[in-house]
Amino acid sequence: MGKTAYKRLQGSQSFRQRLLLATLSSTPILIEDIRADETWPGLRDHEISLLRLFETVCDDCHVEINETGTKLKYKPGTIIGGRQHRAHDCGVSRSIGYFLEPLTVLCLFAKQPLTIRLKGITNDSKDPSVDTFKSTALPILKRFGVPSEGLELKVESRGVPPNGGGEVILSLPVVQSLAAVSWIDEGFVKKIRGTTFSTRVSVQFENSMIKATRGIINPLVSDVHIFSDHRSGPQAGNSPGFGISLVAETTSGCFISADNAVSHARDDDSSSLADDAKRDLMPPEDIGVGTANALLGEIAQSGVVDSTHQGLLFLLCALCPQDVSKVRVGKLSQYGVETLRNIRDFLNLKFIIKPEPNSQSVFLKCVGYGMKNLSRKVS
């Protein structure tokens, strides 16, 4: 056997996408100097957990990490998917939303449909919530030809920082290939849907969020429904918290989202927040108003997806057949720019980018990589 040729990379940036694109393109990678100059060098817990998750859904992949965690060798294997009987613990350093995007894109090209339980944090202020993924990311997948049957995310229990305790079940179908899109019309907002949640706090927190949110968006959109999801007992996870996820659906089938959540460590002797802990939290009215304003800001960006989902959109365009995809987004986010760079580096594929100064939007066009699922199980 010949010596494996590794693509050499440096640093900890874009770790998820590097791992994903390396696997899809069957490119062995060697990442060096991972936080080598920091006080706590090396891979973080959530990055190691993501590696283990990839090992779970792939067969014959090879992972080698040095003692300090500053050097990683990763040789991709075959994407198997299938029904995973053992739940994967995502830990509590990042939420489940951190894992969902790379796992979903990867397992669309698996040998078998995927069903997996993920445990950890379902809602926080850093990563997209599981509610936002369900209401926004899954419809984006359908736009690219992913069938609705077998595409589902079910929230079994909620979990917020710092102790998590949430659990979801992700089900994904497989595709032979994605469908190229021409998606440049964002349309007009026709309805807004939302979900509030609360764990180990009074349901009144949700009522306050809903009232504050409606005060912002009801004068602008008539069709507004916000559902509440109050959890208690085992389904409420290990820490108290609350939050809201909003999604605007447009006349052209776009889904624009915004979410936020707050949490506080729970006292071991009480299932509810103490008075001083309540004062430390952001008021639920502020969460509702802030999230509503964030949603309106995303809508004003004049794109077919919000800034959070630009990376997912570009990945799907790049993995389409060798046909032209055209999309329109608002101002490019940092994550979107990083995605375009990673696609160029791993797939040797460049997007044509044309800014439109009048609307502050950006048109992007590319010819797909032609990713095909050659091992797709035919029923």
Side-chain angles (χ1 to χ4, degrees):
M1 295 179 62
K3 187 176 180 180
T4 301
Y6 286 88
K7 182 180 181 67
R8 302 180 74 93
L9 303 166
Q10 282 193 325
S12 60
Q13 64 272 19
S14 302
F15 183 80
R16 293 186 301 169
Q17 289 188 349
R18 285 174 168 180
L19 208 62
L20 170 64
L21 290 168
T23 307
L24 290 174
S25 62
S26 301
T27 304
I29 56 174
L30 169 62
I31 307 179
E32 299 176 293
D33 297 329
I34 303 173
R35 302 185 182 91
D37 298 327
E38 296 188 15
T39 304
W40 299 101
L43 292 167
R44 298 293 184 251
D45 290 343
H46 56 272
E47 293 167 336
I48 294 174
S49 181
L50 183 63
L51 280 165
R52 301 308 176 213
L53 180 58
F54 271 49
E55 284 184 307
T56 298
V57 299
C58 296
D59 186 33
D60 199 31
C61 68
H62 177 72
V63 176
E64 185 178 329
I65 305 171
N66 70 350
E67 290 183 2
T68 60
T70 58
K71 183 177 179 180
L72 165 69
K73 278 187 175 181
Y74 174 72
K75 185 178 180 182
T78 303
I79 310 167
I80 299 298
R83 180 177 291 274
Q84 303 297 325
H85 298 287
R86 180 179 297 179
H88 178 80
D89 188 354
C90 298
V92 293
S93 60
R94 293 292 289 266
S95 77
I96 293 172
Y98 172 87
F99 300 82
L100 285 174
E101 182 181 299
L103 176 64
T104 298
V105 176
L106 178 72
C107 288
L108 291 178
F109 299 95
K111 187 175 181 180
Q112 302 174 49
L114 174 73
T115 300
I116 188 170
R117 286 179 178 267
L118 301 172
K119 292 184 175 182
I121 294 170
T122 58
N123 304 78
D124 69 0
S125 59
K126 189 171 186 179
D127 297 301
S129 69
V130 294
D131 305 285
T132 296
F133 187 86
K134 182 177 181 178
S135 63
T136 307
L138 296 189
I140 292 174
L141 295 177
K142 296 175 186 178
R143 191 91 185 197
F144 285 83
V146 178
S148 300
E149 186 177 357
L151 182 63
E152 184 183 15
L153 181 68
K154 184 177 180 181
V155 181
E156 295 282 282
S157 59
R158 297 277 179 180
V160 297
N163 300 320
E167 182 173 337
V168 303
I169 302 176
L170 176 66
S171 299
L172 296 171
V174 294
V175 297
Q176 185 170 3
S177 65
L178 298 174
V181 298
S182 179
W183 196 11
I184 58 177
D185 178 19
E186 70 272 19
F188 299 95
V189 175
K190 66 177 182 179
K191 61 183 179 181
I192 291 178
R193 296 291 182 264
T195 300
T196 63
F197 80 92
S198 58
T199 61
R200 303 189 181 278
V201 296
S202 168
V203 70
Q204 189 60 40
F205 281 69
E206 292 188 66
N207 297 334
S208 298
M209 282 187 290
I210 293 173
K211 182 178 179 180
T213 302
R214 283 188 170 277
I216 300 295
I217 59 179
N218 269 30
L220 304 174
V221 182
S222 59
D223 189 354
V224 178
H225 289 283
I226 303 176
F227 305 93
S228 61
D229 184 17
H230 177 69
R231 300 290 178 115
S232 59
Q235 292 188 337
N238 302 322
S239 298
F242 55 90
I244 184 170
S245 170
L246 297 173
V247 57
E249 183 179 350
T250 73
T251 53
S252 60
C254 301
F255 293 83
I256 310 297
S257 64
D259 65 32
N260 201 359
V262 295
S263 59
H264 196 282
R266 181 174 67 85
D267 188 282
D268 291 337
D269 299 325
S270 173
S271 62
S272 62
L273 289 175
D275 290 340
D276 57 343
K278 289 180 182 179
R279 288 194 292 268
D280 291 339
L281 291 177
M282 183 182 296
E285 295 84 358
D286 290 357
I287 288 290
V289 169
T291 307
N293 285 328
L295 179 66
L296 296 178
E298 292 286 358
I299 294 171
Q301 288 289 318
S302 300
V304 297
V305 299
D306 53 68
S307 57
T308 301
H309 293 89
Q310 285 183 12
L312 175 61
L313 177 67
F314 299 157
L315 282 170
L316 295 173
C317 287
L319 296 172
C320 281
Q322 293 179 335
D323 196 358
V324 177
S325 286
K326 302 176 184 178
V327 294
R328 182 176 180 230
V329 299
K331 181 181 178 181
L332 286 174
S333 65
Q334 181 180 349
Y335 182 54
V337 172
E338 290 176 358
T339 304
L340 293 172
R341 289 172 179 164
N342 290 322
I343 290 170
R344 177 199 62 194
D345 293 343
F346 279 91
L347 305 182
N348 194 28
L349 191 155
K350 295 182 180 180
F351 283 67
I352 298 173
I353 304 174
K354 292 183 179 180
E356 187 182 74
N358 293 335
S359 64
Q360 296 185 340
S361 62
V362 181
F363 288 92
L364 297 99
K365 180 171 68 172
C366 78
V367 177
Y369 177 72
M371 184 73 185
K372 290 186 178 180
N373 190 351
L374 300 178
S375 61
R376 176 172 177 256
K377 184 178 180 181
V378 180
S379 57

